[in-house]
Structure formats: C-alpha cells, structure tokens
Amino acid sequence: MSNCVFIQIRCAPGKTYEVADAIALREIHSELFSTSGEYDLLLKLYIPDGEDVGHFINTHVASIPDVHRTLTTMTFRAF
C-alpha cells in the first residue's frame, strides 16, 4: 500500500509548463492539474511504502528547476 499526498507547487514566473513537463517525464504522478491562486500546479502522487515522504518529494519534485516552493498535504485513511 502506498501513501497518497497532494503537493501544491509554486513555479518561477512563466515556467509552469516547463515544470509540468518535467513532472510528466518523471512519471511519478497520479494526477497533475494547473491551478489559480498562490500555487500554479496541484500534483497528486502515491509515495511507495517504506519511502520517507520528505526525501521523496525533495528528490523527485522540489529538485525540478524553477520549482520555487511546495506545500504538501498528507492524506489518511479515515473511512
């Protein structure tokens, strides 16, 4: 079983499409959306069991050029 997380991503001005392309090429996402407001993209992904969430996100998302900030929302099975 894996852990579902949502990551909001703020990109450098004018670089949202490049960041989205880089995410798509890494093939780590379940869903990827363009958003309005403080953040430019919303990424849904599943962290493999046994992986450290922070390390996984830093390695696979935050390291992408022109990613300025991320906000991660962890999910929990409540129902």
Side-chain angles (χ1 to χ4, degrees), residues 7-19:
I7 304 168
Q8 295 181 75
I9 302 167
R10 184 178 303 148
C11 305
K15 297 296 184 175
T16 302
Y17 287 102
E18 288 90 342
V19 171

Side-chain angles (χ1 to χ4, degrees), residues 6 8 16 24 35-36 44 66 75:
F6 291 88
Q8 295 181 75
T16 302
T35 59
S36 63
K44 178 183 178 184
D66 297 313
T75 64

